[in-house]
């Protein structure tokens, strides 16, 4: 039985990856400090003998006693309001956290795949964004803590690959959505659906002309799986190139939910990227991967998930467990 460590296991993407690797017959070790992750995302896995959970902060030394074949580093706050609330932890998980993961990989002779992001391209001046674009990031702006942590993470990963010969893979993840996103993580999709379900107006930031390209989580997981199994060590974009303006996106959510609420406009956050669309030519040729789930289909599945949440969950103000776990 092959073993895999997945950091950020109780988060949105981490939990779906745990599901996939349990299904593939792996021994899965899920690790999370539970600041932004939630046990409810992995409760269903806890009774599986092939799954074990370690409540641990990856910025501290990681001890795993068994052999490891693979490590997926997915621990990090990932929404703009989260990383604005915990900027230092965001920088630490991308720097100290990846250092620990790479050190562990070296000792265990495991292959590591790290979750990077389209944020490495910043507010891009090249559109759509190919992997060869170096980006346009403001290091001292509010998003800098996330963007620069992820850029450092890529650099550290390449250094371990070239200097220590560690087997590494880097996925640059574009906006992804689906069941298990946190309702109040501040991102457009949960924000709009939450507002529709609570009977509030939908808040579009700026004039809503900024664009994003949303990928369903099942497609993302397939892309990550294929990249892990490939022999390619440079970064690969995984995302859905179907691009939409945020105001159009809000209209789609209004139609989907049938809400009588309207769109209201609020100030655009500082350094909010104006456009974003992945160039996925590389993933197509290298991994024979392209997204299969249309936005219409994916949004329906995601809406069903949010509808199934309790009233208490729906009206809860903050879903982050920062104070509870007192992580520094
Ligand atoms: N956004 C919005 N209203 C909200 C939340 C987000 O208009 O209630 C906008 C946000 O300013 C950005 C886009 O939606 O232009 C996508 O934001 P998200 O936080 O989902 O992802 P990111 O900016 O990291 O791509």
């Amino acid at each position: 039985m092959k073993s895999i460590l997945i950091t950020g296991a109780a988060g949105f993407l981490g939990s779906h990856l745990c599901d996939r690797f349990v299904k593939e017959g792996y021994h899965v070790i899920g690790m999370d400090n539970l600041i932004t992750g939630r046990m409810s995302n992995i409760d269903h896995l806890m009774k599986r003998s092939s799954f074990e959970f370690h409540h641990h902060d990856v910025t501290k030394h990681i001890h795993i006693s068994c052999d490891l074949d693979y490590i997926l580093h997915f621990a990090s706050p990932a929404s703009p309001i989260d990383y604005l609330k915990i900027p230092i932890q965001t920088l630490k998980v991308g720097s100290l956290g990846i250092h620990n993961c790479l050190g562990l990989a070296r000792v265990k002779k495991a292959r590591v795949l790290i979750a990077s992001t389209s944020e490495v391209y910043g507010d891009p001046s090249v559109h759509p964004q190919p992997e060869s674009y170096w980006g346009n990031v403001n290091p001292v702006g509010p998003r800098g803590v996330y963007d620069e942590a992820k850029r450092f993470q890529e650099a550290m990963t390449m250094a371990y690959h070239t200097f220590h010969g560690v087997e590494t893979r880097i996925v640059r993840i574009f906006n992804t959505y689906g069941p298990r996103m946190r309702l109040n993580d501040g991102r457009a999709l949960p924000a709009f659906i939450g507002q529709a379900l609570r009977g509030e107006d939908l808040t579009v930031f700026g004039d809503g002309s900024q664009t994003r390209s949303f990928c369903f989580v099942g497609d993302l997981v397939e892309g990550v799986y294929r990249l892990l199994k490939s022999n390619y060590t440079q970064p690969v974009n995984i995302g859905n190139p179907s691009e939409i303006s945020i105001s159009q996106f809000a209209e789609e959510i209004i139609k989907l939910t049938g809400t009588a609420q309207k769109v209201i406009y609020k100030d655009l956050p500082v350094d909010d990227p104006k456009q974003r669309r992945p160039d996925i030519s590389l993933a197509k040729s290298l991994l024979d991967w392209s997204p299969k789930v249309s936005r219409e289909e994916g949004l329906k599945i995601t809406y069903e998930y949010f509808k199934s949440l309790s009233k208490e969950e729906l009206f809860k103000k903050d879903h982050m467990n920062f104070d509870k776990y007192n992580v520094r």
Side-chain angles (χ1 to χ4, degrees):
M1 196 181 211
K2 296 234 183 262
S3 287
I4 184 165
L5 168 68
I6 301 180
T7 76
F12 164 48
L13 297 182
S15 64
H16 284 283
L17 286 161
C18 288
D19 283 345
R20 174 66 185 260
F21 282 92
V22 165
K23 204 168 133 213
E24 296 285 343
Y26 284 67
H27 171 217
V28 177
I29 302 168
M31 185 169 282
D32 207 295
N33 65 3
L34 299 175
I35 302 189
T36 58
R38 291 164 302 161
M39 286 308 288
S40 58
N41 287 341
I42 49 170
D43 269 345
H44 62 286
L45 291 173
M46 297 300 279
K47 44 187 175 303
R48 302 286 294 251
S49 58
S50 60
F51 182 79
E52 57 181 282
F53 179 69
H54 294 208
H55 182 194
H56 182 70
D57 181 344
V58 294
T59 65
K60 313 268 171 10
H61 180 82
I62 304 170
H63 176 72
I64 301 288
S65 49
C66 66
D67 288 345
L68 279 179
D69 299 287
Y70 299 106
I71 299 173
L72 301 184
H73 184 45
F74 275 69
S76 179
S79 87
I81 63 163
D82 284 356
Y83 49 76
L84 286 179
K85 271 189 210 152
I86 47 172
I88 295 167
Q89 289 78 11
T90 303
L91 281 158
K92 281 171 74 178
V93 75
S95 51
L96 308 181
I98 190 63
H99 192 208
N100 289 335
C101 285
L102 289 163
L104 181 67
R106 192 176 161 215
V107 171
K108 301 281 184 186
K109 300 193 174 18
R111 181 180 296 180
V112 191
L113 181 147
I114 66 149
S116 188
T117 167
S118 54
E119 288 284 330
V120 300
Y121 303 123
D123 187 5
S125 50
V126 169
H127 193 71
Q129 295 79 54
E131 290 84 352
S132 54
Y133 176 51
W134 290 353
N136 176 32
V137 170
N138 174 5
V140 293
R143 287 179 178 250
V145 295
Y146 184 67
D147 301 6
E148 296 296 1
K150 292 288 186 179
R151 288 169 70 98
F152 174 88
Q153 193 170 282
E154 288 196 7
M156 188 66 138
T157 301
M158 285 316 290
Y160 263 71
H161 175 64
T162 49
F163 190 72
H164 287 309
V166 172
E167 281 194 54
T168 55
R169 307 286 181 267
I170 300 173
V171 59
R172 289 188 180 151
I173 299 171
F174 283 66
N175 295 67
T176 303
Y177 70 97
R180 303 186 194 153
M181 288 184 98
R182 263 167 48 235
L183 197 58
N184 284 351
D185 81 353
R187 280 187 279 197
L189 181 138
F192 293 160
I193 293 188
Q195 287 160 343
L197 287 171
R198 289 189 297 267
E200 299 165 3
D201 289 334
L202 278 65
T203 53
V204 166
F205 299 157
D207 64 4
S209 63
Q210 71 273 29
T211 66
R212 294 293 185 273
S213 309
F214 296 96
C215 181
F216 187 65
V217 63
D219 284 330
L220 184 277
V221 166
E222 182 61 32
V224 168
Y225 187 82
R226 290 186 189 204
L227 177 61
L228 180 69
K229 298 295 169 131
S230 79
N231 57 10
Y232 191 75
T233 53
Q234 294 291 314
V236 178
N237 289 340
I238 296 287
N240 189 323
S242 166
E243 185 179 2
I244 185 172
S245 75
I246 293 302
S247 54
Q248 271 176 295
F249 188 56
E251 291 302 334
E252 284 191 0
I253 303 289
I254 288 177
K255 202 165 147 222
L256 170 77
T257 57
T259 174
Q261 304 302 132
K262 57 182 192 312
V263 166
I264 54 169
Y265 292 87
K266 299 233 167 155
D267 288 347
L268 189 68
V270 176
D271 293 340
D272 197 284
K274 283 181 253 338
Q275 52 184 0
R276 189 183 287 152
R277 169 154 57 104
D279 178 333
I280 58 165
S281 323
L282 183 61
K284 274 186 179 160
S285 60
L286 188 75
L287 311 173
D288 190 25
W289 176 89
S290 57
K292 299 282 179 276
V293 181
S294 68
R295 202 167 51 242
E296 194 183 358
E297 197 184 336
L299 285 180
K300 269 193 203 141
I301 298 169
T302 310
Y303 180 44
E304 287 308 312
Y305 166 77
F306 282 120
K307 270 202 298 192
S308 73
L309 297 179
S310 66
K311 274 240 145 42
E312 191 202 348
E313 191 80 8
L314 186 61
F315 285 91
K316 204 153 100 186
K317 276 274 171 282
D318 192 351
H319 291 246
M320 204 195 267
N321 289 321
F322 183 51
D323 295 333
K324 186 168 162 195
Y325 292 107
N326 191 26
V327 172
R328 298 189 186 281

